[in-house]
Coordinates of all heavy atoms in Angstrom, one line a residue:
M1 N 4.4 -13.2 -5.6 CA 4.9 -12.1 -6.4 C 5.0 -10.9 -5.6 O 5.8 -10.0 -5.9 CB 3.9 -11.9 -7.6 CG 4.0 -12.9 -8.6 SD 5.6 -13.2 -9.4 CE 5.7 -11.6 -10.3
C2 N 4.2 -10.7 -4.5 CA 4.2 -9.5 -3.7 C 4.1 -9.9 -2.2 O 3.4 -10.9 -1.9 CB 3.0 -8.7 -4.1 SG 2.8 -7.2 -3.1
S3 N 4.8 -9.2 -1.4 CA 4.7 -9.5 0.1 C 3.2 -9.3 0.5 O 2.8 -9.9 1.6 CB 5.6 -8.7 0.9 OG 5.2 -7.3 0.9
G4 N 2.4 -8.6 -0.2 CA 1.1 -8.4 0.2 C 0.3 -9.7 0.1 O -0.8 -9.8 0.6
R5 N 0.8 -10.7 -0.6 CA 0.2 -12.0 -0.7 C 0.3 -12.8 0.6 O -0.3 -13.8 0.7 CB 0.7 -12.7 -1.9 CG 0.1 -14.1 -2.2 CD -1.4 -14.0 -2.5 NE -2.0 -15.3 -2.7 CZ -2.6 -16.0 -1.8 NH1 -2.7 -15.5 -0.6 NH2 -3.1 -17.2 -2.1
V6 N 1.2 -12.4 1.4 CA 1.5 -13.2 2.6 C 0.4 -13.0 3.7 O 0.3 -12.0 4.3 CB 2.9 -12.8 3.3 CG1 3.1 -13.7 4.5 CG2 4.0 -13.1 2.2
D7 N -0.4 -14.0 3.8 CA -1.5 -14.0 4.8 C -1.0 -14.4 6.1 O -0.2 -15.3 6.2 CB -2.6 -15.0 4.3 CG -3.9 -14.9 5.1 OD1 -3.8 -15.2 6.3 OD2 -4.9 -14.5 4.5
P8 N -1.4 -13.8 7.2 CA -0.9 -14.2 8.5 C -1.1 -15.7 8.7 O -0.4 -16.4 9.5 CB -1.8 -13.4 9.5 CG -2.1 -12.2 8.7 CD -2.3 -12.6 7.3
V9 N -2.1 -16.3 8.1 CA -2.4 -17.8 8.3 C -1.2 -18.5 7.7 O -0.8 -19.6 8.3 CB -3.7 -18.2 7.5 CG1 -3.9 -19.7 7.5 CG2 -4.9 -17.5 8.2
F10 N -0.6 -18.1 6.7 CA 0.6 -18.7 6.1 C 1.7 -18.8 7.1 O 2.5 -19.8 7.3 CB 1.2 -18.0 4.9 CG 0.2 -17.9 3.7 CD1 0.5 -17.0 2.7 CD2 -0.9 -18.7 3.6 CE1 -0.4 -16.9 1.6 CE2 -1.8 -18.6 2.5 CZ -1.5 -17.7 1.5
V11 N 1.9 -17.7 7.9 CA 2.9 -17.6 8.9 C 2.7 -18.6 10.0 O 3.5 -19.4 10.4 CB 3.0 -16.2 9.5 CG1 4.0 -16.1 10.6 CG2 3.4 -15.2 8.4
L12 N 1.4 -18.6 10.5 CA 1.1 -19.6 11.6 C 1.2 -21.0 11.0 O 1.6 -21.9 11.8 CB -0.4 -19.3 12.0 CG -0.5 -17.9 12.7 CD1 -2.0 -17.7 13.0 CD2 0.3 -17.9 14.0
Q13 N 0.9 -21.2 9.8 CA 1.0 -22.6 9.2 C 2.4 -23.0 9.2 O 2.8 -24.2 9.5 CB 0.4 -22.6 7.8 CG 0.3 -24.0 7.2 CD -0.6 -25.0 7.9 OE1 -1.8 -24.6 8.0 NE2 -0.1 -26.1 8.4
A14 N 3.3 -22.1 8.9 CA 4.7 -22.4 8.8 C 5.3 -22.8 10.2 O 6.0 -23.8 10.3 CB 5.6 -21.2 8.3
F15 N 4.8 -22.1 11.2 CA 5.2 -22.5 12.6 C 4.6 -23.8 13.0 O 5.3 -24.7 13.6 CB 4.8 -21.4 13.6 CG 5.6 -20.2 13.6 CD1 5.1 -19.0 13.3 CD2 7.0 -20.3 14.0 CE1 6.0 -17.8 13.3 CE2 7.8 -19.2 14.0 CZ 7.3 -17.9 13.6
E16 N 3.4 -24.0 12.6 CA 2.7 -25.3 12.9 C 3.4 -26.5 12.2 O 3.5 -27.6 12.7 CB 1.3 -25.3 12.5 CG 0.5 -26.5 12.9 CD -1.0 -26.4 12.6 OE1 -1.6 -25.4 13.1 OE2 -1.5 -27.2 11.9
D17 N 4.0 -26.2 11.0 CA 4.7 -27.2 10.2 C 6.1 -27.4 10.7 O 6.9 -28.2 10.1 CB 4.6 -26.9 8.7 CG 3.3 -27.1 8.1 OD1 2.4 -27.7 8.8 OD2 3.0 -26.6 7.0
G18 N 6.6 -26.6 11.7 CA 7.9 -26.9 12.2 C 8.9 -25.8 12.0 O 10.1 -26.0 12.4
A19 N 8.6 -24.7 11.3 CA 9.6 -23.7 11.1 C 10.0 -23.0 12.4 O 9.1 -22.8 13.3 CB 9.0 -22.6 10.2
D20 N 11.3 -22.8 12.6 CA 11.7 -22.1 13.8 C 11.6 -20.6 13.7 O 11.6 -19.9 14.7 CB 13.2 -22.4 14.1 CG 13.4 -23.9 14.5 OD1 12.5 -24.4 15.1 OD2 14.3 -24.5 14.1
G21 N 11.4 -20.1 12.4 CA 11.2 -18.7 12.2 C 10.7 -18.5 10.8 O 10.7 -19.3 9.9
V22 N 10.1 -17.3 10.7 CA 9.6 -16.9 9.4 C 10.1 -15.5 9.0 O 10.0 -14.6 9.8 CB 8.0 -16.9 9.4 CG1 7.5 -16.4 8.0 CG2 7.5 -18.3 9.7
L23 N 10.7 -15.4 7.8 CA 11.2 -14.1 7.3 C 10.3 -13.8 6.1 O 10.1 -14.6 5.2 CB 12.6 -14.3 6.8 CG 13.1 -13.1 6.0 CD1 13.3 -11.9 6.8 CD2 14.5 -13.5 5.4
V24 N 9.7 -12.6 6.2 CA 8.9 -12.1 5.1 C 9.7 -10.9 4.5 O 10.0 -9.9 5.3 CB 7.5 -11.6 5.5 CG1 6.8 -11.0 4.3 CG2 6.8 -12.8 6.1
A25 N 10.1 -11.0 3.3 CA 10.8 -9.9 2.6 C 10.0 -9.3 1.5 O 9.5 -10.0 0.7 CB 12.2 -10.4 2.1
G26 N 9.9 -8.0 1.6 CA 9.1 -7.3 0.5 C 9.9 -6.2 -0.1 O 11.0 -5.8 0.4
C27 N 9.3 -5.6 -1.1 CA 9.9 -4.4 -1.7 C 9.9 -3.2 -0.7 O 9.1 -3.2 0.2 CB 9.1 -4.0 -2.9 SG 9.1 -5.3 -4.2
H28 N 10.8 -2.4 -0.9 CA 10.9 -1.1 0.0 C 9.5 -0.4 -0.1 O 8.9 -0.4 -1.1 CB 12.0 -0.2 -0.4 CG 13.4 -0.8 -0.1 ND1 13.9 -0.7 1.2 CD2 14.2 -1.5 -0.9 CE1 15.1 -1.3 1.1 NE2 15.3 -1.8 -0.1
I29 N 9.2 0.3 1.0 CA 8.0 1.1 1.0 C 8.1 2.1 -0.1 O 9.1 2.8 -0.3 CB 7.9 1.8 2.4 CG1 7.8 0.8 3.5 CG2 6.7 2.8 2.3 CD1 6.6 -0.1 3.5
G30 N 7.0 2.2 -0.9 CA 7.0 3.0 -2.1 C 7.4 2.3 -3.4 O 7.2 2.9 -4.4
D31 N 7.9 1.1 -3.3 CA 8.4 0.4 -4.5 C 7.5 -0.8 -4.8 O 7.8 -1.6 -5.7 CB 9.8 -0.1 -4.3 CG 10.8 1.1 -4.3 OD1 10.4 2.2 -4.8 OD2 12.0 0.8 -4.0
C32 N 6.4 -1.0 -4.0 CA 5.6 -2.2 -4.3 C 4.9 -2.1 -5.7 O 4.3 -1.0 -6.0 CB 4.5 -2.3 -3.2 SG 3.3 -3.7 -3.5
H33 N 5.1 -3.1 -6.5 CA 4.5 -3.1 -7.8 C 2.9 -3.1 -7.8 O 2.3 -2.8 -8.8 CB 5.0 -4.3 -8.6 CG 6.5 -4.4 -8.7 ND1 7.1 -3.7 -9.7 CD2 7.4 -5.0 -8.0 CE1 8.4 -3.9 -9.6 NE2 8.6 -4.7 -8.5
Y34 N 2.4 -3.4 -6.6 CA 0.9 -3.4 -6.5 C 0.5 -2.3 -5.6 O -0.4 -2.4 -4.8 CB 0.5 -4.8 -6.0 CG 0.9 -5.9 -6.9 CD1 2.1 -6.6 -6.7 CD2 0.1 -6.1 -8.0 CE1 2.4 -7.6 -7.7 CE2 0.5 -7.1 -8.9 CZ 1.6 -7.8 -8.8 OH 2.0 -8.8 -9.7
I35 N 1.3 -1.3 -5.5 CA 1.1 0.0 -4.8 C 1.3 -0.1 -3.3 O 2.2 0.6 -2.7 CB -0.3 0.6 -5.1 CG1 -0.6 0.6 -6.6 CG2 -0.4 2.0 -4.5 CD1 0.4 1.4 -7.5
S36 N 0.4 -0.9 -2.7 CA 0.4 -0.9 -1.2 C 0.5 -2.3 -0.6 O 0.2 -2.4 0.6 CB -0.8 -0.2 -0.7 OG -2.0 -0.8 -1.1
G37 N 0.9 -3.3 -1.3 CA 0.9 -4.6 -0.8 C 1.8 -4.7 0.4 O 1.5 -5.4 1.4
N38 N 3.0 -4.1 0.4 CA 3.9 -4.2 1.5 C 3.3 -3.5 2.7 O 3.5 -3.9 3.9 CB 5.3 -3.7 1.1 CG 5.3 -2.4 0.4 OD1 4.3 -1.7 0.3 ND2 6.5 -2.0 -0.1
L39 N 2.6 -2.4 2.5 CA 2.0 -1.7 3.6 C 1.0 -2.5 4.3 O 0.8 -2.5 5.5 CB 1.5 -0.3 3.2 CG 2.5 0.7 2.7 CD1 1.8 1.9 2.2 CD2 3.4 1.1 3.9
Q40 N 0.2 -3.2 3.5 CA -0.9 -4.1 4.0 C -0.2 -5.2 4.8 O -0.7 -5.6 5.9 CB -1.7 -4.7 2.9 CG -2.6 -3.6 2.2 CD -3.2 -4.1 1.0 OE1 -3.2 -5.2 0.7 NE2 -3.8 -3.2 0.2
T41 N 0.8 -5.8 4.3 CA 1.6 -6.9 5.0 C 2.1 -6.4 6.3 O 2.0 -7.1 7.3 CB 2.7 -7.5 4.1 OG1 2.1 -8.1 3.0 CG2 3.5 -8.5 4.9
K42 N 2.7 -5.2 6.3 CA 3.3 -4.6 7.5 C 2.2 -4.5 8.6 O 2.4 -5.0 9.7 CB 3.8 -3.2 7.2 CG 4.5 -2.5 8.4 CD 5.1 -1.2 8.0 CE 5.8 -0.5 9.1 NZ 4.9 0.1 10.1
E43 N 1.0 -4.0 8.2 CA -0.1 -3.9 9.2 C -0.5 -5.3 9.7 O -0.7 -5.5 10.9 CB -1.2 -3.1 8.6 CG -2.3 -2.8 9.5 CD -3.5 -2.0 8.9 OE1 -3.2 -1.3 7.9 OE2 -4.6 -2.1 9.4
R44 N -0.7 -6.2 8.8 CA -1.2 -7.5 9.2 C -0.2 -8.2 10.1 O -0.6 -8.8 11.1 CB -1.4 -8.4 7.9 CG -2.7 -8.1 7.2 CD -3.0 -9.2 6.2 NE -3.3 -8.5 4.9 CZ -2.6 -8.7 3.8 NH1 -1.6 -9.5 3.7 NH2 -3.0 -8.0 2.7
L45 N 1.1 -8.2 9.7 CA 2.0 -8.9 10.5 C 2.3 -8.2 11.9 O 2.5 -8.9 12.9 CB 3.4 -9.1 9.8 CG 3.2 -9.9 8.5 CD1 4.6 -10.2 7.9 CD2 2.5 -11.3 8.8
E46 N 2.2 -6.9 11.9 CA 2.3 -6.2 13.2 C 1.1 -6.7 14.1 O 1.3 -6.9 15.3 CB 2.3 -4.7 13.0 CG 3.7 -4.2 12.5 CD 3.7 -2.7 12.1 OE1 2.6 -2.1 12.2 OE2 4.8 -2.3 11.8
N47 N -0.1 -6.8 13.5 CA -1.2 -7.3 14.3 C -1.0 -8.7 14.8 O -1.3 -9.1 15.9 CB -2.5 -7.1 13.5 CG -2.9 -5.7 13.5 OD1 -2.6 -4.9 14.4 ND2 -3.6 -5.3 12.4
L48 N -0.4 -9.5 13.9 CA -0.2 -11.0 14.2 C 0.8 -11.1 15.3 O 0.6 -11.9 16.3 CB 0.4 -11.7 12.9 CG 0.7 -13.2 13.2 CD1 -0.5 -14.0 13.5 CD2 1.4 -13.7 11.9
I49 N 1.9 -10.3 15.3 CA 2.9 -10.3 16.3 C 2.3 -10.0 17.7 O 2.7 -10.6 18.7 CB 4.1 -9.4 16.0 CG1 4.9 -10.0 14.9 CG2 4.9 -9.0 17.3 CD1 6.1 -9.2 14.5
K50 N 1.2 -9.2 17.8 CA 0.6 -8.9 19.0 C 0.0 -10.1 19.7 O -0.2 -10.2 20.9 CB -0.5 -7.8 18.8 CG 0.0 -6.5 18.5 CD -1.1 -5.5 18.2 CE -0.5 -4.2 17.7 NZ -1.6 -3.3 17.2
S51 N -0.4 -11.1 18.8 CA -1.0 -12.4 19.4 C 0.1 -13.4 19.7 O -0.2 -14.4 20.3 CB -1.9 -12.9 18.3 OG -1.2 -13.4 17.2
F52 N 1.3 -13.1 19.4 CA 2.4 -14.1 19.6 C 2.5 -14.5 21.1 O 2.8 -15.6 21.4 CB 3.7 -13.7 19.1 CG 3.9 -14.0 17.6 CD1 2.8 -14.3 16.8 CD2 5.2 -14.0 17.1 CE1 3.0 -14.6 15.5 CE2 5.4 -14.4 15.7 CZ 4.3 -14.7 14.9
E53 N 2.4 -13.5 22.0 CA 2.6 -13.8 23.4 C 1.6 -14.8 23.9 O 1.9 -15.7 24.6 CB 2.5 -12.5 24.2 CG 2.9 -12.7 25.7 CD 3.0 -11.4 26.5 OE1 3.2 -10.3 25.8 OE2 2.9 -11.4 27.7
I54 N 0.3 -14.6 23.5 CA -0.7 -15.5 23.8 C -0.5 -16.9 23.3 O -0.7 -17.9 23.9 CB -2.1 -15.0 23.3 CG1 -2.4 -13.7 24.0 CG2 -3.2 -16.0 23.5 CD1 -3.6 -12.9 23.4
L55 N 0.1 -16.9 22.0 CA 0.3 -18.2 21.4 C 1.6 -18.9 21.9 O 1.9 -20.0 21.5 CB 0.4 -18.0 19.9 CG -0.8 -17.5 19.2 CD1 -0.5 -17.1 17.7 CD2 -1.9 -18.6 19.2
G56 N 2.4 -18.1 22.6 CA 3.7 -18.7 23.1 C 4.8 -18.7 22.1 O 5.7 -19.5 22.1
I57 N 4.8 -17.8 21.2 CA 5.8 -17.7 20.1 C 6.6 -16.4 20.4 O 6.0 -15.3 20.6 CB 5.2 -17.6 18.7 CG1 4.3 -18.8 18.4 CG2 6.3 -17.4 17.7 CD1 3.5 -18.7 17.1
E58 N 7.9 -16.5 20.5 CA 8.7 -15.3 20.6 C 8.6 -14.4 19.4 O 8.7 -14.9 18.3 CB 10.2 -15.7 20.8 CG 10.5 -16.5 22.1 CD 10.5 -18.0 21.8 OE1 9.9 -18.5 20.8 OE2 11.2 -18.8 22.5
K59 N 8.4 -13.1 19.6 CA 8.2 -12.2 18.5 C 9.4 -12.1 17.6 O 9.2 -11.9 16.4 CB 7.8 -10.8 19.0 CG 8.9 -10.1 19.8 CD 8.3 -8.7 20.2 CE 9.2 -8.0 21.1 NZ 10.5 -7.5 20.6
D60 N 10.6 -12.5 18.1 CA 11.8 -12.4 17.2 C 11.8 -13.6 16.1 O 12.7 -13.6 15.3 CB 13.0 -12.5 18.0 CG 13.3 -11.2 18.7 OD1 12.7 -10.2 18.4 OD2 14.1 -11.2 19.7
R61 N 10.9 -14.5 16.3 CA 10.8 -15.6 15.3 C 10.1 -15.2 14.0 O 10.2 -15.9 13.0 CB 10.0 -16.8 15.9 CG 10.7 -17.4 17.0 CD 10.1 -18.7 17.4 NE 10.7 -19.3 18.6 CZ 11.8 -20.1 18.5 NH1 12.4 -20.4 17.4 NH2 12.3 -20.6 19.6
L62 N 9.6 -14.0 14.0 CA 9.0 -13.4 12.7 C 9.7 -12.1 12.4 O 9.8 -11.3 13.3 CB 7.5 -13.2 12.9 CG 6.8 -12.5 11.7 CD1 6.9 -13.3 10.4 CD2 5.3 -12.2 12.1
R63 N 10.2 -12.1 11.2 CA 10.9 -10.9 10.8 C 10.3 -10.4 9.5 O 10.1 -11.1 8.5 CB 12.4 -11.1 10.7 CG 13.2 -9.9 10.5 CD 14.6 -10.1 11.0 NE 15.4 -8.9 10.7 CZ 16.7 -8.8 10.9 NH1 17.3 -9.8 11.5 NH2 17.3 -7.7 10.6
L64 N 10.1 -9.1 9.4 CA 9.6 -8.4 8.2 C 10.7 -7.4 7.7 O 11.1 -6.6 8.5 CB 8.3 -7.7 8.4 CG 7.7 -6.9 7.3 CD1 7.4 -7.8 6.1 CD2 6.4 -6.2 7.8
E65 N 11.1 -7.6 6.5 CA 12.2 -6.7 6.0 C 11.9 -6.2 4.6 O 11.2 -6.9 3.9 CB 13.5 -7.4 6.0 CG 14.1 -7.7 7.4 CD 14.7 -6.4 8.0 OE1 15.0 -5.4 7.3 OE2 14.8 -6.4 9.3
W66 N 12.4 -5.1 4.3 CA 12.3 -4.6 3.0 C 13.6 -4.7 2.3 O 14.6 -4.1 2.8 CB 11.9 -3.1 3.0 CG 10.7 -2.8 3.9 CD1 10.6 -1.8 4.8 CD2 9.4 -3.4 3.9 NE1 9.4 -1.8 5.4 CE2 8.6 -2.8 4.9 CE3 8.8 -4.5 3.2 CZ2 7.3 -3.2 5.2 CZ3 7.6 -4.9 3.5 CH2 6.8 -4.3 4.5
V67 N 13.7 -5.4 1.2 CA 14.9 -5.6 0.5 C 14.7 -5.8 -1.0 O 13.7 -6.6 -1.3 CB 15.7 -6.9 1.1 CG1 14.9 -8.1 1.1 CG2 17.1 -7.0 0.5
S68 N 15.4 -5.1 -1.8 CA 15.1 -5.2 -3.2 C 16.0 -6.3 -3.8 O 17.0 -6.8 -3.2 CB 15.4 -3.9 -3.9 OG 16.8 -3.7 -4.0
A69 N 15.7 -6.7 -5.1 CA 16.5 -7.7 -5.8 C 17.9 -7.3 -6.0 O 18.8 -8.1 -6.2 CB 15.8 -8.0 -7.1
G70 N 18.2 -6.0 -6.0 CA 19.5 -5.5 -6.2 C 20.4 -5.4 -4.9 O 21.5 -4.9 -4.9
E71 N 19.8 -5.8 -3.8 CA 20.5 -5.7 -2.5 C 20.9 -7.1 -2.0 O 20.6 -7.5 -0.9 CB 19.6 -5.0 -1.5 CG 19.3 -3.6 -1.9 CD 18.3 -2.9 -0.9 OE1 17.2 -3.5 -0.6 OE2 18.6 -1.9 -0.4
G72 N 21.7 -7.7 -2.8 CA 22.2 -9.1 -2.5 C 22.9 -9.1 -1.1 O 22.7 -10.0 -0.3
Q73 N 23.8 -8.2 -0.9 CA 24.6 -8.2 0.3 C 23.7 -8.0 1.5 O 23.9 -8.6 2.6 CB 25.7 -7.1 0.3 CG 26.9 -7.6 -0.5 CD 28.1 -6.7 -0.3 OE1 28.0 -5.5 -0.3 NE2 29.3 -7.3 -0.1
K74 N 22.8 -7.1 1.4 CA 21.8 -6.8 2.5 C 21.0 -8.1 2.8 O 20.8 -8.5 3.9 CB 20.9 -5.7 2.1 CG 19.9 -5.4 3.2 CD 18.9 -4.3 2.9 CE 17.9 -4.1 4.0 NZ 16.9 -3.0 3.7
F75 N 20.6 -8.8 1.7 CA 19.8 -10.0 1.9 C 20.7 -11.1 2.6 O 20.2 -11.7 3.5 CB 19.3 -10.5 0.5 CG 18.4 -11.7 0.6 CD1 17.1 -11.5 1.1 CD2 18.8 -13.0 0.3 CE1 16.2 -12.6 1.3 CE2 17.9 -14.0 0.4 CZ 16.6 -13.9 0.9
Q76 N 21.9 -11.2 2.1 CA 22.8 -12.2 2.8 C 23.0 -11.9 4.3 O 22.9 -12.8 5.1 CB 24.2 -12.1 2.1 CG 25.2 -13.1 2.7 CD 26.6 -12.9 2.1 OE1 27.0 -11.8 1.7 NE2 27.4 -13.9 2.1
Q77 N 23.2 -10.6 4.6 CA 23.4 -10.2 6.0 C 22.1 -10.5 6.8 O 22.2 -11.0 7.9 CB 23.8 -8.7 6.1 CG 24.3 -8.3 7.4 CD 25.5 -9.1 7.9 OE1 26.4 -9.4 7.1 NE2 25.5 -9.5 9.2
L78 N 21.0 -10.2 6.2 CA 19.7 -10.5 6.8 C 19.6 -11.9 7.2 O 19.2 -12.3 8.3 CB 18.6 -10.0 5.9 CG 17.2 -10.3 6.3 CD1 16.8 -9.6 7.6 CD2 16.3 -9.8 5.2
I79 N 19.9 -12.8 6.2 CA 19.8 -14.3 6.5 C 20.7 -14.7 7.6 O 20.4 -15.5 8.4 CB 20.1 -15.0 5.2 CG1 19.0 -14.7 4.1 CG2 20.1 -16.5 5.4 CD1 17.6 -15.0 4.5
I80 N 22.0 -14.2 7.5 CA 22.9 -14.5 8.6 C 22.4 -14.1 10.0 O 22.5 -14.9 10.9 CB 24.3 -13.9 8.3 CG1 24.9 -14.6 7.0 CG2 25.3 -14.0 9.5 CD1 26.2 -13.9 6.5
E81 N 22.0 -12.9 10.1 CA 21.5 -12.3 11.3 C 20.3 -13.1 11.8 O 20.2 -13.5 13.0 CB 21.1 -10.9 11.2 CG 22.3 -9.9 11.1 CD 21.8 -8.5 10.8 OE1 20.6 -8.2 11.1 OE2 22.7 -7.7 10.4
F82 N 19.3 -13.4 10.9 CA 18.1 -14.1 11.3 C 18.4 -15.5 11.7 O 17.9 -16.0 12.7 CB 17.1 -14.0 10.2 CG 15.7 -14.4 10.6 CD1 15.1 -13.9 11.7 CD2 15.0 -15.4 9.8 CE1 13.8 -14.3 12.1 CE2 13.7 -15.7 10.2 CZ 13.1 -15.2 11.3
T83 N 19.3 -16.2 11.0 CA 19.7 -17.5 11.4 C 20.3 -17.5 12.7 O 20.1 -18.4 13.6 CB 20.6 -18.1 10.3 OG1 20.0 -18.1 9.0 CG2 21.0 -19.5 10.6
K84 N 21.2 -16.6 13.0 CA 21.9 -16.5 14.3 C 20.9 -16.3 15.4 O 20.9 -16.9 16.5 CB 22.9 -15.3 14.3 CG 23.7 -15.1 15.6 CD 24.7 -14.0 15.5 CE 25.3 -13.8 16.8 NZ 25.7 -12.4 17.1
K85 N 19.9 -15.4 15.2 CA 18.9 -15.2 16.2 C 18.0 -16.4 16.5 O 17.8 -16.8 17.6 CB 18.0 -14.0 15.7 CG 16.7 -13.8 16.6 CD 17.1 -13.5 18.0 CE 17.6 -12.1 18.3 NZ 17.8 -11.9 19.7
L86 N 17.7 -17.2 15.4 CA 16.9 -18.4 15.6 C 17.7 -19.4 16.3 O 17.1 -20.2 17.1 CB 16.5 -18.9 14.2 CG 15.4 -18.0 13.5 CD1 15.0 -18.6 12.2 CD2 14.2 -17.8 14.4
R87 N 19.0 -19.5 16.1 CA 19.9 -20.5 16.8 C 19.9 -20.1 18.3 O 19.9 -20.9 19.2 CB 21.2 -20.5 16.2 CG 21.3 -21.2 14.9 CD 22.7 -21.7 14.6 NE 22.6 -22.7 13.4 CZ 23.1 -22.4 12.2 NH1 23.8 -21.3 12.0 NH2 22.9 -23.3 11.3
E88 N 19.9 -18.8 18.6 CA 19.9 -18.3 20.0 C 18.6 -18.7 20.7 O 18.6 -19.1 21.8 CB 20.1 -16.8 20.1 CG 21.5 -16.3 19.7 CD 21.5 -14.8 19.6 OE1 20.6 -14.1 19.8 OE2 22.6 -14.3 19.1
L89 N 17.5 -18.6 19.9 CA 16.2 -18.9 20.5 C 16.0 -20.4 20.6 O 15.2 -20.8 21.5 CB 15.1 -18.3 19.6 CG 14.9 -16.8 19.5 CD1 14.0 -16.3 18.4 CD2 14.5 -16.2 20.9
G90 N 16.6 -21.2 19.8 CA 16.4 -22.6 19.8 C 15.2 -23.0 19.0 O 14.5 -22.1 18.4
P91 N 14.9 -24.3 19.1 CA 13.8 -24.8 18.3 C 12.5 -24.1 18.7 O 12.3 -23.8 19.9 CB 13.7 -26.3 18.6 CG 15.1 -26.6 19.1 CD 15.6 -25.4 19.7
S92 N 11.6 -23.9 17.8 CA 10.3 -23.3 18.1 C 9.5 -24.3 19.0 O 9.5 -25.5 18.8 CB 9.5 -23.1 16.8 OG 8.2 -22.8 17.1
P93 N 8.8 -23.7 20.0 CA 7.9 -24.6 20.8 C 6.8 -25.2 20.0 O 6.2 -26.2 20.5 CB 7.4 -23.7 21.8 CG 7.6 -22.3 21.3 CD 8.7 -22.4 20.3
F94 N 6.6 -24.8 18.8 CA 5.5 -25.4 17.9 C 6.1 -26.5 17.0 O 5.3 -27.2 16.4 CB 4.9 -24.3 17.1 CG 3.9 -23.5 17.8 CD1 4.2 -22.7 18.8 CD2 2.5 -23.6 17.4 CE1 3.2 -22.0 19.5 CE2 1.5 -22.9 18.1 CZ 1.9 -22.1 19.1
N95 N 7.4 -26.7 17.0 CA 8.0 -27.7 16.2 C 7.6 -29.1 16.7 O 7.8 -29.4 17.8 CB 9.5 -27.6 16.2 CG 10.2 -28.5 15.2 OD1 9.8 -29.6 15.0 ND2 11.3 -28.0 14.7
K96 N 6.9 -29.8 15.8 CA 6.3 -31.1 16.2 C 7.4 -32.1 16.6 O 7.2 -32.9 17.4 CB 5.5 -31.6 15.0 CG 4.3 -30.9 14.7 CD 3.7 -31.3 13.4 CE 2.5 -30.4 13.0 NZ 2.1 -30.6 11.7
K97 N 8.6 -31.9 16.0 CA 9.7 -32.8 16.4 C 10.2 -32.6 17.8 O 10.5 -33.5 18.5 CB 10.9 -32.7 15.4 CG 10.6 -33.1 14.0 CD 11.9 -32.8 13.2 CE 11.4 -32.8 11.7 NZ 12.4 -32.1 10.9
V98 N 10.2 -31.3 18.2 CA 10.6 -31.0 19.5 C 9.5 -31.4 20.5 O 9.8 -31.9 21.6 CB 10.8 -29.4 19.7 CG1 11.1 -29.0 21.1 CG2 12.0 -29.0 18.8
I99 N 8.3 -31.3 20.2 CA 7.2 -31.7 21.1 C 7.3 -33.2 21.3 O 7.1 -33.7 22.4 CB 5.8 -31.3 20.5 CG1 5.7 -29.8 20.5 CG2 4.7 -31.9 21.2 CD1 4.5 -29.2 19.7
A100 N 7.6 -33.9 20.2 CA 7.7 -35.4 20.2 C 8.9 -35.9 21.0 O 8.9 -36.9 21.7 CB 7.7 -36.0 18.8
N101 N 10.0 -35.1 20.9 CA 11.3 -35.5 21.5 C 11.9 -34.2 22.2 O 12.8 -33.6 21.6 CB 12.2 -36.1 20.5 CG 13.5 -36.5 21.1 OD1 13.7 -36.6 22.3 ND2 14.5 -36.8 20.3
P102 N 11.4 -33.8 23.4 CA 11.9 -32.6 24.0 C 13.4 -32.5 24.3 O 13.9 -31.4 24.4 CB 11.0 -32.4 25.2 CG 10.4 -33.7 25.4 CD 10.5 -34.5 24.1
T103 N 14.0 -33.6 24.4 CA 15.5 -33.6 24.7 C 16.3 -33.5 23.5 O 17.5 -33.2 23.5 CB 15.9 -34.8 25.6 OG1 15.6 -36.0 24.8 CG2 15.2 -34.8 26.9
G104 N 15.8 -33.8 22.3 CA 16.5 -33.8 21.1 C 16.2 -32.6 20.3 O 15.8 -31.6 20.7
G105 N 16.4 -32.6 19.0 CA 16.1 -31.6 18.1 C 17.2 -30.6 18.0 O 18.2 -30.6 18.6
G106 N 16.9 -29.5 17.2 CA 17.9 -28.5 17.0 C 17.4 -27.6 16.0 O 16.3 -27.7 15.5
V107 N 18.1 -26.5 15.7 CA 17.7 -25.5 14.7 C 18.0 -26.0 13.3 O 19.0 -26.5 13.0 CB 18.4 -24.2 15.0 CG1 18.0 -23.2 13.9 CG2 18.0 -23.7 16.3
Ligands
FES1 S1 5.6 -6.2 -5.2 FE1 4.5 -5.7 -3.4 S2 6.1 -5.8 -1.9 FE2 7.1 -6.3 -3.7

């Protein structure tokens, strides 16, 4: 219900489960229905990104954006841009299929 519910462990689990990228979209700053959930997520994910280099995950594989339900075009553009970026990056090094078959796979 709120981006504040996104625990960094969920993000790491998604990568471990084979996601090439994770997009967390929350309400605009000041619009969170739970007052500060998006601010807490921002802080948690910024801290998580700091560990990405150690984990071998490109920081561009995680994106945090503020987008409201009334911003369909913005959301569409966001998905297009993020998908393009993930295709440029290629499969995540954590993707179990890539690890099992390093010459195959894809985004
Ligand atoms: S309700 Fe908290 S970010 Fe949307």
